[in-house]
Amino acid sequence: MNDISAKIKEFLSRFFRNHDLQLDEDIFALGFVNSMFAMQLVLFIEQEFQITIENEDLDFANFKTINAMTHLIEIKTTLVSQT
């Protein structure tokens, strides 16, 4: 698990206390996410990783697993460092 995945898992574990969330588990399918929590999650990612989540990034596929969020963040941080 890399640093990005670890930070995301730590954040999510505050809300899913009784579940050991795996990197490829779908948090939407598990029923853990409502619209308010989804907004908190996006805000956390933006603040923690110093990136901007654009409208086109707001796709369930980008946020359904820790691995998917890690991939999105890696892409966004790579783009930022190239500019």
Side-chain angles (χ1 to χ4, degrees), residues 4-81:
I4 295 171
S5 298
K7 287 179 181 180
I8 296 168
K9 185 169 182 168
E10 180 185 333
F11 174 78
L12 293 173
S13 70
R14 291 185 231 156
F15 299 92
F16 313 155
R17 294 180 196 270
N18 297 323
H19 185 81
D20 181 24
L21 190 63
Q22 301 304 304
L23 298 179
D24 59 351
E25 254 183 310
D26 185 334
I27 63 174
F28 296 101
L30 292 170
F32 289 140
V33 180
N34 60 28
S35 58
M36 183 65 86
F37 181 73
M39 289 176 18
Q40 285 179 284
L41 180 57
V42 169
L43 187 60
F44 162 76
I45 289 173
E46 287 184 321
Q47 291 176 340
E48 182 69 31
F49 300 102
Q50 307 279 303
I51 60 173
T52 300
I53 301 297
E54 307 291 344
N55 286 341
E56 61 267 15
D57 300 323
L58 295 174
D59 183 337
F60 283 123
N62 288 331
F63 296 93
K64 71 181 193 174
T65 67
I66 294 172
N67 284 337
M69 289 179 259
T70 300
H71 180 71
L72 174 66
I73 293 162
E74 289 171 344
I75 290 170
K76 300 292 275 182
T77 54
T78 300
L79 291 174
V80 168
S81 66

